[in-house]
Amino acid sequence: MLTKEEMPDCPVATTVQLIGIKWKLLIIRNLLVRPWRFNELRRDLEGISQKVLTDSLRSMEEDGIVTRTVYPEVPPRVEYALSQMGESMRPIIKAMEDWGIAYQKSMQ
């Protein structure tokens, strides 16, 4: 999680610092629908490497955006879901989706 000293003065810059990477936005997009397992995310996010997915999930977990649940099964099952803080991003992602749809339509 970012310390107060590490956070930019600008609130928009703080948000971009937390989720500005392309892959993080796409991970959040998926997690808005339901919890996902690691390999499900990897298959769905075409082009993402295992390292980038691992690093992104760990970073978002440290920042309080994603939760990681390990189920005591054999083999172990791990699911990633949005935390309450992550869920609070729903309107931001929805606004980005709406804007993207409008932009795509205007370019046709």
Side-chain angles (χ1 to χ4, degrees), residues 2 8 10-21 24-25 89:
L2 292 175
C10 173
V12 173
T14 299
T15 305
V16 169
Q17 187 170 341
L18 290 170
I19 64 166
I21 297 170
K24 286 184 179 182
L25 283 170
M89 295 179 151

Side-chain angles (χ1 to χ4, degrees), residues 33-101:
V33 177
R34 64 174 174 85
W36 289 66
R37 295 175 72 174
F38 182 89
N39 284 328
E40 287 181 307
L41 283 168
R42 190 163 169 223
R43 280 190 299 272
D44 192 71
L45 300 172
E46 191 173 316
I48 194 169
S49 70
Q50 182 170 336
K51 180 183 179 347
V52 169
L53 180 56
T54 299
D55 291 348
S56 296
L57 287 168
R58 283 186 184 154
S59 171
M60 289 191 296
E61 186 179 8
E62 288 173 12
D63 292 332
I65 296 169
V66 168
T67 60
R68 179 180 184 265
T69 306
V70 180
Y71 294 92
E73 301 172 355
V74 178
R77 178 171 54 109
V78 178
E79 284 186 346
Y80 294 90
L82 290 178
S83 66
Q84 189 172 359
M85 183 65 67
E87 278 289 336
S88 72
M89 295 179 151
R90 186 176 293 275
I92 297 167
I93 304 302
K94 178 66 175 143
M96 292 173 72
E97 176 187 33
D98 292 346
W99 187 90
I101 290 168

